[in-house]
Amino acid sequence: MAKTALTVNMPIEGARETLRAFRRLPKEASQELRERSLKLSETLANRARQAARSDSPQAALMAPTIKARKDRLPSIQVGGSRRVGRNRKPAYKILFGSEFGSNTLPQFRPHNGQEGYWFFPVAEQQSADIARAWQDVADEIERRFTADDIGGGG
């Protein structure tokens, strides 16, 4: 399914350094970061589903294929091989036409260049809030696990 689905990881400034710092913490810290990132991803996925349902008939077909991914960074996935619509086409065959349009296929809106219609605009609009929330979560987890180390060692 990886080749037929589109996965978007939220860009977060300083994420590499933060994740590097997490390698020095117990595995439970990374596990908690994954779980909390999944909640942020769910928020983003819900907003993307709403945008898909309210955008166009083809985009609405993509709404059930949008899902949050469990990772250390917030990420969502759309498309895949799931069959959608009355003609039961794989979602990946409709995804890019619904997002970017097409100048050759009449069922889609006009080609929109590199700017998307519903999926990428939602991701871009939410990126600052998601990044800030993720950084707050990561800082909180890191503080708690380093405080445990300091308190437990003394």
Side-chain angles (χ1 to χ4, degrees):
M1 183 159 147
K3 292 182 181 181
T4 60
L6 175 65
T7 302
V8 174
N9 298 317
M10 296 305 294
I12 299 175
E13 190 174 322
R16 265 193 185 138
E17 295 80 10
T18 302
L19 295 176
R20 193 175 306 125
F22 265 76
R23 287 188 205 125
R24 294 188 294 268
L25 298 175
K27 287 185 180 183
E28 293 82 18
S30 286
Q31 183 177 353
E32 185 173 342
L33 183 63
R34 286 179 201 279
E35 290 167 6
R36 302 275 298 271
S37 290
L38 179 62
K39 289 180 183 176
L40 293 172
S41 298
E42 277 293 341
T43 300
L44 184 60
N46 286 334
R47 290 186 178 142
R49 280 186 212 105
Q50 290 171 352
R53 287 186 195 109
S54 65
D55 186 65
S56 71
Q58 293 85 8
L61 293 174
M62 296 296 101
T65 71
I66 300 170
K67 57 186 172 184
R69 296 197 54 216
K70 189 173 185 178
D71 199 355
R72 293 183 300 171
L73 293 173
S75 87
I76 57 176
Q77 189 174 49
V78 62
S81 57
R82 179 181 181 167
R83 296 193 175 267
V84 296
R86 70 172 184 253
N87 293 328
R88 311 305 299 157
K89 295 286 182 193
Y92 68 86
K93 289 194 173 193
I94 300 169
L95 174 61
F96 287 97
S98 72
E99 174 64 7
F100 298 107
S102 172
N103 289 335
T104 58
L105 299 173
Q107 71 265 34
F108 298 116
R109 290 181 282 193
H111 182 59
N112 205 15
Q114 292 183 351
E115 192 173 318
Y117 277 108
W118 58 273
F119 186 71
F120 284 105
V122 166
E124 289 171 16
Q125 290 167 0
Q126 300 300 314
S127 66
D129 292 340
I130 296 289
R132 194 170 24 262
W134 182 85
Q135 199 65 51
D136 291 345
V137 162
D139 289 345
E140 174 194 327
I141 294 169
E142 187 174 13
R143 270 194 307 275
R144 195 173 59 234
F145 276 90
T146 55
D148 288 349
D149 290 345
I150 294 169

